[in-house]
Structures are given as structure tokens and as C-alpha cells.
Amino acid sequence: MEPISLQPIGIVRSPLVLLDDCPLQGHEGAPEAWIELLPGFETGIKDLAPGKELILLTWFHAADRSVLQCYPRKEVNAPPLGVFTTRSPDRPNPIGLHPVTVLAVEAGRVKVHPLEALDGTPVIDIKPVI
Amino acid sequence: MEPISLQPIGIVRSPLVLLDDCPLQGHEGAPEAWIELLPGFETGIKDLAPGKELILLTWFHAADRSVLQCYPRKEVNAPPLGVFTTRSPDRPNPIGLHPVTVLAVEAGRVKVHPLEALDGTPVIDIKPVI
């Protein structure tokens, strides 16, 4: 099957700059962050408002895409699990799903909380929680 | 920002073959479907089991990727909304998020329910619900 071309729609601006600073999940102490929409995509956020709950989709650009088995939560004494039973960022298509709440909306950017993604991470979609 | 190359990891095998047959959301009458893993990715599902809850990520290959505003739930009398406030499949990166339950696991494939995706839809990731 042919590869698919994803177009980033925004970029994460966050105080998280080192992979070792990232919590394993967003609810484990992740900070606030801004999502800056890339040129041409700003219209898409015009109806977002503070308090709205979203699922952000990001691309973990630092991930190892060759991983098919891994050790969950760094428990290396257990047998490895098939990667699709885990939320490891190292996986064939390293898409991150982040439940967040909107804190503020400005022209071309939106502030959210909590977000466990590094500064500079591409954002590929924004969906409302339903 | 550079485009990103997604590699499909599987394909949907479903009785849904026409776009008009698709419910708007999975809980609105979507059928059971098989996910066939593509060659090389079968190991990734080895620890899935019936009853497990997953989020499937698919690629809506029939979508219009130029859409930035749209009418939700086909209400054409309301003003259009920014696409990131909606779950429209027509969007810049038409990724579908599908909460499903595993019904069966066989070599290289997994049966899930409910799934509102057409037969032949590429699957790009499988994640456990946490």
C-alpha cells in the first residue's frame, strides 16, 4: 500500500525541550503549551473557545519507527508486548493523542493544558471531544 | 514544515462499501469489521485479546483535504464552523479515531466492533484505551 503524505497544520510551543523532561502521560504533570497554526490553517480554529475539550494529534518526530515490540512503562523484566497493545511513542506511525482543555485562543494560536509533547513537535489534527 | 510520510499498517475489511452507507459516528449503527495487518506488522498485535478496548486510527482516503470550514451534522442553515471544531472527515489530515472493542484475534488480523470506515480504508495505528 502506498505511503500517505501528512501535512503538519501547526507546531507545539512548550517549555518541554528535552525528551527526558516529558512525562509518560499528559496527566502526569505535563505543562501548558501553545499550538501555533501554520500559515493557511488559521481559519480552522476560529470557533475554538476557552473551556473546550479537544483531542490533539501530534507527530512524535523523535520516535523510532522500527519498533514492533516493546516494554511498557519501562518494565524490562516482563516479556515484550506487541506495540499495538501499548502507548509507546516508538511505533510505525508515531502519532500522539492528547486530551487537552483550551485555555486561550488568539489569532492563529491556541493555548492548551496539559500537553506532554516537546517544543517543536508537529501538530497534525485538532478534534473536539464528543 | 516538511510533509511527513505515513505508512499504512493494515486495511479495513468491512461490509460498508459505499460512503452513503456510513453512519456519522461509530455508535450510530456501524458494523463489525476485520483489520488485516499488512506484511511486516503482524507481530504488533500479538498481545491483543477479545474484550480489549482500542482506539483505531484510520485514513479517510475519500476525504476532501482542502476543507477548513464546514457545516456540522449537515445543518446547512447554520454558519460554517472552523473544521477543527468538528469531526468532519473532510479536513487537512483526514485521520479517523474509532473507539472499538476487540471481538476476535487470528494470525495477522483482528475483528472489532463498531467501525464506521469503508472497506479498503487504510489503518495507520492501533492504541489501547487507557
Side-chain angles (χ1 to χ4, degrees):
Chain A
M1 192 172 279
E2 290 294 301
I4 293 162
S5 179
L6 269 186
Q7 180 59 54
I9 59 129
I11 187 164
V12 172
R13 294 301 180 200
S14 170
L16 287 177
V17 292
L18 295 173
L19 207 52
D20 285 346
D21 294 339
C22 271
L24 288 171
Q25 300 296 333
H27 61 271
E28 296 174 356
E32 300 175 359
W34 284 97
I35 308 303
E36 287 183 9
L37 278 288
L38 291 172
F41 296 104
E42 300 92 335
T43 317
I45 63 163
K46 74 179 182 64
D47 298 297
L48 295 183
K52 193 114 183 161
E53 292 183 25
L54 304 176
I55 298 177
L56 282 188
L57 282 72
T58 62
W59 184 262
F60 290 127
H61 55 305
D64 177 354
R65 300 182 66 179
S66 69
V67 168
L68 285 172
Q69 296 188 65
C70 63
Y71 298 94
R73 307 293 284 185
K74 301 175 179 170
E75 293 172 26
V76 293
N77 291 323
L81 294 175
V83 73
F84 301 130
T85 310
T86 81
R87 298 281 283 224
S88 168
D90 294 320
R91 57 202 306 119
N93 293 307
I95 296 172
L97 296 185
H98 312 269
V100 298
T101 302
V102 175
L103 298 180
V105 184
E106 297 180 0
R109 62 181 199 156
V110 52
K111 191 181 196 179
V112 300
H113 178 263
L115 186 60
E116 79 288 18
L118 291 179
D119 185 64
T121 297
V123 177
I124 56 176
D125 202 4
I126 302 170
K127 296 183 191 291
V129 171
I130 49 172
Chain B
M1 193 173 278
E2 290 294 301
I4 294 162
S5 180
L6 268 185
Q7 180 59 54
I9 58 128
I11 187 165
V12 172
R13 295 302 180 197
S14 170
L16 287 177
V17 292
L18 296 173
L19 208 51
D20 285 347
D21 294 339
C22 272
L24 289 172
Q25 298 296 334
H27 60 271
E28 296 174 355
E32 299 174 0
W34 284 97
I35 308 304
E36 286 184 10
L37 278 288
L38 290 172
F41 297 105
E42 299 93 335
T43 316
I45 64 162
K46 75 179 181 64
D47 298 297
L48 295 183
K52 193 114 184 160
E53 291 182 27
L54 304 176
I55 297 177
L56 281 187
L57 282 71
T58 64
W59 184 261
F60 290 128
H61 55 307
D64 178 353
R65 300 183 64 178
S66 69
V67 168
L68 285 172
Q69 296 189 63
C70 63
Y71 298 95
R73 305 294 284 185
K74 299 175 180 171
E75 291 172 25
V76 293
N77 292 323
L81 294 176
V83 73
F84 300 130
T85 310
T86 82
R87 297 281 284 223
S88 167
D90 295 321
R91 58 203 304 121
N93 293 308
I95 295 171
L97 295 186
H98 312 269
V100 299
T101 302
V102 175
L103 299 179
V105 184
E106 297 180 359
R109 63 181 197 156
V110 52
K111 192 182 196 179
V112 299
H113 177 263
L115 186 60
E116 77 289 17
L118 291 180
D119 185 64
T121 297
V123 176
I124 56 177
D125 202 4
I126 302 172
K127 294 183 194 290
V129 172
I130 48 171

